């Protein structure tokens, strides 16, 4: 029995022990998984692949067990863990995906992405995103000592939560035209993403948009098995 699993938005940090343990139990239960897609914001912050935090070590160890069982692991960066790189993923054979990637799901080409790019009404965020995705900015940040990067990550989180609390609900959600344009550009009838914390399956003229949920005391996953897709919620 082989299956594909998609999860996102666990926002793991040193303060989310219960969610982290829930993830490891989930992965134990789902031992018969051929592909695991981590679609961004798995971590609340990522300060570089050389991070020596206990969380980074524990997560790599858990993923090594997953990979040892024969599961392929793929990672899409979110707006929190946008500095995730190949060096860390290589510790457990994980592969870094482009921000927008087309894969086969239920024998159909499907776009998978974190989802922040779909929230195109939030122009302030897109401007910020362009800055932090600039290779020069990233090189400069990654050259700083870990302690300094940790402080910067904290500052960015505070800025981001202050910005979100001042924004209208609808600009935090996806823009319908951007969804349609993305699906048409990549020639797909299915789009899977996270980020908005609004788990749902949306039928569209052009096919379907599936939104993963964030993890709290309940976790979410999208499961592909026997050519069927199921969006599931479970206690962590
Ligand atoms: Mn996000």
């Amino acid at each position: 029995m082989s299956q594909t699993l998609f999860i996102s938005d666990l926002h793991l940090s040193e303060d989310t022990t219960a969610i982290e343990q829930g993830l490891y139990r989930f992965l134990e239960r789902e031992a018969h998984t051929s592909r695991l897609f981590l679609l961004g914001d798995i971590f609340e912050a990522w300060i570089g692949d050389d991070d020596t935090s206990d969380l980074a070590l524990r997560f790599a160890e858990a993923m090594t067990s997953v990979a040892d069982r024969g599961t392929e692991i793929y990672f899409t960066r979110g707006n929190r863990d946008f500095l995730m790189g190949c060096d860390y993923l290589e510790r457990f054979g994980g592969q870094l995906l482009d921000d927008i990637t087309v894969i086969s799901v239920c024998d159909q080409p499907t776009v998978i992405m974190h989802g922040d790019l779909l929230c195109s009404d939030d122009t302030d965020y897109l401007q910020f995103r362009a800055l932090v995705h600039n290779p020069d900015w990233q090189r400069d940040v990654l050259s700083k000592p870990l302690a300094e990067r940790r402080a910067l990550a904290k500052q960015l989180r505070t800025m981001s939560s202050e910005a979100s609390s001042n924004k209208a609900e609808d600009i935090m959600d996806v823009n319908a035209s951007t969804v349609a344009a993305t699906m048409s550009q990549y020639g797909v009838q299915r789009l899977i993403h996270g980020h908005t914390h609004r788990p749902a399956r949306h039928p569209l003229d052009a096919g379907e948009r599936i939104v993963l949920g964030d993890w709290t005391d309940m976790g979410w996953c999208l499961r592909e098995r026997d050519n069927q897709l199921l969006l599931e919620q479970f206690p962590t």
Side-chain angles (χ1 to χ4, degrees):
M1 183 178 64
S2 86
Q3 65 174 354
T4 299
L5 294 175
F6 303 86
I7 59 174
S8 70
D9 301 282
L10 280 78
H11 294 272
L12 296 179
S13 70
E14 292 295 356
D15 306 323
T16 56
T17 315
I19 295 174
E20 188 188 344
Q21 292 307 316
L23 169 68
Y24 301 155
R25 280 193 300 271
F26 167 77
L27 294 170
E28 286 284 321
R29 288 197 299 276
E30 304 292 348
H32 299 283
T33 299
S34 37
R35 298 184 297 177
L36 172 65
F37 288 92
L38 306 169
L39 294 189
D41 287 1
I42 300 301
F43 297 96
E44 175 68 1
W46 191 256
I47 58 170
D49 292 0
D50 54 341
D51 185 8
T52 51
S53 71
D54 291 341
L55 170 60
L57 298 177
R58 287 194 302 268
F59 185 86
E61 199 178 318
M63 288 300 142
T64 302
S65 310
V66 170
D68 286 348
R69 293 196 291 257
T71 304
E72 294 170 10
I73 302 167
Y74 301 93
F75 195 102
T76 300
R77 295 182 184 112
N79 53 300
R80 303 295 186 135
D81 44 20
F82 62 88
L83 281 177
M84 176 59 68
C86 298
D87 287 350
Y88 180 71
L89 298 176
E90 267 170 20
R91 291 195 216 165
F92 47 86
Q95 293 177 54
L96 187 63
L97 300 177
D98 289 337
D99 289 343
I100 302 178
T101 297
V102 179
I103 62 166
S104 174
V105 177
C106 294
D107 292 328
Q108 280 186 336
T110 299
V111 159
I112 55 170
M113 59 197 294
H114 177 57
D116 51 327
L117 280 170
L118 298 170
C119 299
S120 52
D121 294 329
D122 191 350
T123 48
D124 292 345
Y125 167 69
L126 289 180
Q127 230 170 6
F128 168 78
R129 188 182 194 278
L131 167 75
V132 302
H133 280 250
N134 180 307
D136 292 334
W137 186 91
Q138 294 197 354
R139 208 173 306 119
D140 181 49
V141 165
L142 290 172
S143 70
K144 294 179 196 298
L146 280 170
E148 206 174 313
R149 280 182 264 160
R150 238 168 245 137
L152 176 67
K154 202 170 167 190
Q155 195 189 331
L156 290 179
R157 276 207 303 283
T158 310
M159 277 166 57
S160 150
S161 67
E162 279 168 6
S164 337
S165 62
N166 292 327
K167 274 176 197 160
E169 279 279 294
D170 55 338
I171 65 170
M172 308 286 291
D173 203 355
V174 300
N175 173 294
S177 318
T178 306
V179 167
T182 304
M183 292 175 75
S184 128
Q185 184 189 344
Y186 288 87
V188 300
Q189 292 181 309
R190 188 187 293 115
L191 170 61
I192 300 170
H193 70 86
H195 178 63
T196 59
H197 299 191
R198 297 171 201 218
R201 299 185 68 162
H202 299 279
L204 305 169
D205 291 344
E208 187 181 21
R209 177 170 70 92
I210 305 175
V211 190
L212 303 172
D214 56 314
W215 287 41
T216 53
D217 50 338
M218 299 295 276
W220 287 90
C221 79
L222 178 69
R223 181 190 305 275
E224 177 207 38
R225 193 166 60 195
D226 301 331
N227 234 27
Q228 281 199 322
L229 273 175
L230 296 166
L231 183 61
E232 298 174 3
Q233 193 184 27
F234 46 88
T236 48

